[in-house]
Amino acid sequence: MTSFSVTAQIGVTGLAVMGSNIARNLARHGYTVALHNRSVAKTDALLGAHGNEGAFVRTETIEEFVGALEKPRRVLIMVKAGEATDAVIEDLAAVMEPGDIIIDGGNALYTDTIRREAAMTARGLNFVGAGISGGEEGALNGPSIMPGGPKESYESLGPLLESISAKVDGVACCTHIGPDGSGHFVKMVHNGIEYADMQLIGEAYHLLRDALGFDAGRIAEVFTDWNSGELESYLVEITAEVLQQIDTTTGKPLVDVIVDAAEQKGTGRWTVKSALDLGVPVTGIAEAVFARALSGSRAQRRAADGLASGMLAENPTDAAQFTEDVRKALYASKIVAYAQGFDQIAAGSTEYGWGLYPGDLATIWRGGCIIRASFLDRIKEAYEGNPDLPSLILAPYFREAIAEAVDSWRRVVSTAVRLGIPVPAFASSLSYYDALRAERLPAALTQAQRDFFGAHTYERTDRPGKFHTLWSGDRSELRTE
Ligand code: NBP
């Protein structure tokens, strides 16, 4: 530990779980890190426990903190997203100088980042909204980092951020994403995909438990096995670990004593709201957000206990076959969820003029982050093969993978429906796939209905222009455009 008069290369303010670990990660990489937290107790706790891991500069006030930094100053904010971030930015901006860089590494809403960057630019400061994924462990040992903001800021920050990020095949899981709020936008969609991934894993677990009667330990073995194949990923790996955990109080699997009401912090909901605005169907993510909400409606669920189940089918008799079907259904649904997330990123990029490269994201999500998976290598290759893919599903590798899985997928969804086991994400992903490949959708009928009650017009399959039928008149057709 050194006094605050020493010049630090970067400062971290907000020393809860994420900020402390990022500060330690920076120090372990040889950077001198100035530390600041609203309540000084967290700063001292960090120094007490880990002060010997590198060069830290203890500060108490924002003035001391900013004064401890070499110029141009670089400050990483790791506080609770929302009002706390605005308050800290304001305190920093009051004492920082033109050319200094403020990095917000929290989970900010990307529209807040756009607003904050504009405000800081007007004051001569550089503002970088950086999405950081990987949780507590990633922050310490190498997260996936998604920095937005001006390209010039990345030139100064890039080497530092890349050095503390995860590496896969020697490539840093950090790259400049694009202007203003693009880093936080991409991090938001990443979190949305994480919701979908977790929901799909949950549905697979539910099917193995209730359709096959497997206990947690046996399901853990299934997930361990799946983790050695195309589903290999952090989330599948930790699922197996979680399912093996025994509760010391009851001796039961821990998962069986945890209340089945999932909480959420908001990034999944933001992803769906943004997708609605952009007109992108992210059905897998939306189902995941709604499934968490439904699980949390505990009073309603208690009141619904005993509702009619209808005629239920027999449970599958060939457990090995059904388990393999579930594995394939999980893989196919996961492809759909990622395809939808990448569609949203493309739509956001177009809407805001960001010029994002989907292949770059697949590259930096391969390590460090919660959705890291070998699967990301396939996505990277797909975009390398064709950067303008209309949908990830249409890349040769994924087209083939779904063709190989689709029979199993249908068997799993129909079995779940017949057994009364909810599989909203499996089912909606299959419906999305069927809608995408349908030759004629019922949308023609929708258009006719809209024209009937609202004269909204429709297009015809056989000639250009817009048309309206005189529904309440002689039902002749007019060309309106
Ligand atoms: P929290 O999100 O729990 O925030 C706690 C920190 O915010 C403390 O340092 C606290 O200071 C500070 N803070 C608050 Br609350 N209000 C403040 C204010 N008005 N002014 C100044 N400081 C204030 O910490 P976290 O879980 O470490 O997450 C940090 C950021 O990283 C968040 O934006 C989070 O969304 C994001 N993130 C978290 C994860 C994760 O896995 N946890 C992953 C990726 C990103 P105090 O000590 O004085 O109360």
Side-chain angles (χ1 to χ4, degrees):
M1 188 174 81
T2 41
S3 88
F4 70 84
S5 57
V6 172
T7 303
Q9 286 141 309
I10 185 160
V12 180
T13 181
L15 300 174
V17 183
M18 290 293 286
S20 304
N21 281 358
I22 295 247
R24 290 171 61 197
N25 186 348
L26 284 159
R28 289 174 177 187
H29 279 85
Y31 298 103
T32 301
V33 186
L35 300 175
H36 176 265
N37 193 68
R38 177 178 61 175
S39 50
V40 79
K42 278 202 178 68
T43 312
D44 287 336
L46 168 58
L47 287 168
H50 306 285
N52 58 354
E53 289 180 8
F56 294 109
V57 183
R58 178 186 184 277
T59 72
E60 291 192 10
T61 65
I62 279 282
E63 290 75 14
E64 281 178 4
F65 177 58
V66 169
L69 297 168
E70 68 178 28
K71 296 182 184 177
R73 302 178 180 89
R74 296 181 287 205
V75 169
L76 174 62
I77 302 176
M78 291 303 300
V79 303
K80 193 170 157 64
E83 286 172 15
T85 307
D86 277 318
V88 174
I89 291 172
E90 201 40 56
D91 288 350
L92 286 168
V95 284
M96 289 177 89
E97 291 173 327
D100 290 348
I101 306 174
I102 298 177
I103 311 139
D104 175 18
N107 271 339
L109 180 60
Y110 72 98
T111 46
D112 283 344
T113 304
I114 294 174
R115 166 180 60 78
R116 288 167 183 152
E117 199 212 330
M120 290 303 110
T121 304
R123 293 164 77 162
L125 294 166
N126 295 302
F127 186 82
V128 172
I132 300 181
S133 175
E136 196 176 342
E137 193 265 332
L140 183 62
N141 297 318
S144 176
I145 310 180
M146 296 151 251
K151 186 108 186 118
E152 311 77 68
S153 302
Y154 193 79
E155 276 156 25
S156 146
L157 273 180
L160 183 146
L161 296 180
E162 288 177 20
S163 71
I164 64 158
S165 75
K167 314 282 178 308
V168 176
D169 303 332
V171 179
C173 293
C174 171
T175 191
H176 181 238
I177 301 294
D180 57 67
S182 59
H184 276 136
F185 179 83
V186 159
K187 170 63 171 33
M188 174 190 78
V189 178
H190 162 286
N191 283 26
I193 292 174
E194 178 184 309
Y195 272 59
D197 221 337
M198 291 171 70
Q199 174 65 23
L200 292 167
I201 288 172
E203 291 177 17
Y205 154 74
H206 197 171
L207 285 161
L208 297 177
R209 191 191 69 188
D210 288 6
L212 294 181
F214 284 6
D215 62 18
R218 183 133 181 228
I219 304 173
E221 287 168 19
V222 172
F223 275 95
T224 302
D225 178 45
W226 288 354
N227 199 40
S228 60
E230 57 198 358
L231 281 171
E232 186 198 352
S233 60
Y234 171 72
L235 284 170
V236 168
E237 181 190 328
I238 66 162
T239 301
E241 282 200 40
V242 166
L243 291 169
Q244 279 161 18
Q245 184 70 22
I246 300 296
D247 172 47
T248 46
T249 320
T250 59
K252 293 180 182 168
L254 179 65
V255 72
D256 292 340
V257 295
I258 293 178
V259 173
D260 62 343
E263 297 181 4
Q264 46 188 317
K265 279 200 166 170
T267 44
R269 200 163 39 227
W270 289 349
T271 311
V272 177
K273 281 185 182 172
S274 149
L276 289 172
D277 288 340
L278 293 166
V280 182
V282 291
T283 58
I285 301 171
E287 290 295 355
V289 173
F290 290 140
R292 287 199 195 187
L294 195 153
S295 77
S297 304
R298 291 157 77 174
Q300 240 184 358
R301 286 177 59 200
R302 265 198 307 276
D305 190 23
L307 282 182
S309 59
M311 214 162 52
L312 298 180
E314 296 292 309
N315 288 26
T317 48
D318 187 340
Q321 174 64 50
F322 188 71
T323 302
E324 179 59 3
D325 280 348
V326 173
R327 186 189 70 79
K328 288 183 175 171
L330 174 56
Y331 192 50
S333 304
K334 180 169 164 146
I335 293 170
V336 167
Y338 279 68
Q340 294 177 338
F342 276 90
D343 283 351
Q344 182 170 358
I345 286 168
S349 180
T350 304
E351 173 77 12
Y352 293 100
W354 284 329
L356 306 183
Y357 297 103
D360 280 358
L361 302 176
T363 304
I364 64 166
W365 289 347
R366 290 182 307 160
C369 65
I370 304 296
I371 63 170
R372 62 183 180 264
S374 1
F375 176 75
L376 266 309
D377 277 319
R378 308 287 87 77
I379 299 180
K380 173 177 170 280
E381 286 156 16
Y383 282 111
E384 277 167 3
N386 179 5
D388 300 317
L389 267 176
S391 163
L392 197 56
I393 291 171
L394 300 172
Y397 177 87
F398 292 114
R399 182 190 281 262
E400 271 303 300
I402 294 188
E404 222 267 305
V406 69
D407 290 354
S408 294
W409 203 4
R410 293 193 193 289
R411 275 196 296 272
V412 167
V413 171
S414 57
T415 302
V417 170
R418 285 186 296 114
L419 288 173
I421 299 172
V423 285
F426 274 11
S428 80
S429 305
L430 180 55
S431 283
Y432 173 88
Y433 175 73
D434 284 333
L436 196 64
R437 58 176 202 84
E439 203 184 325
R440 289 273 301 158
L441 288 170
L445 176 60
T446 309
Q447 282 298 82
Q449 291 166 327
R450 293 178 69 247
D451 189 58
F452 189 105
F453 62 69
H456 293 303
T457 74
Y458 50 85
E459 291 179 88
R460 294 182 55 99
T461 57
D462 54 357
R463 52 186 193 275
K466 297 266 187 185
F467 299 87
H468 169 57
T469 289
L470 298 170
W471 296 101
S472 46
D474 64 1
R475 302 221 163 172
S476 59
E477 186 181 69
L478 305 176
R479 180 170 175 165
T480 60
E481 274 179 39

